[in-house]
Amino acid sequence: MQQVPLENLVQSLSPEWLHLLKEEERSQRVVLRDGIQQVNETDLMEIVEAVIKEHQKSSFYQ
């Protein structure tokens, strides 16, 4: 297992996506079961989506 900031993962696979992330989303640490080398663009898209959704939850009053 490997734990990396989301920014490092995005930077290595699709740096053009960095502008989509807020600062706190970029610093979010993600756990990669098989390491960064095994992550493809589809995986990255799912990870980015999950992190954005998680950070949105705290933005709204319920």
Side-chain angles (χ1 to χ4, degrees), residues 19-37:
H19 77 279
L20 300 173
L21 300 170
K22 296 177 185 172
E23 189 62 38
E24 63 270 10
E25 294 165 346
R26 290 179 185 203
S27 62
Q28 174 75 44
R29 297 189 72 77
V30 294
V31 177
L32 305 172
R33 184 179 11 177
D34 298 320
I36 201 167
Q37 301 83 0

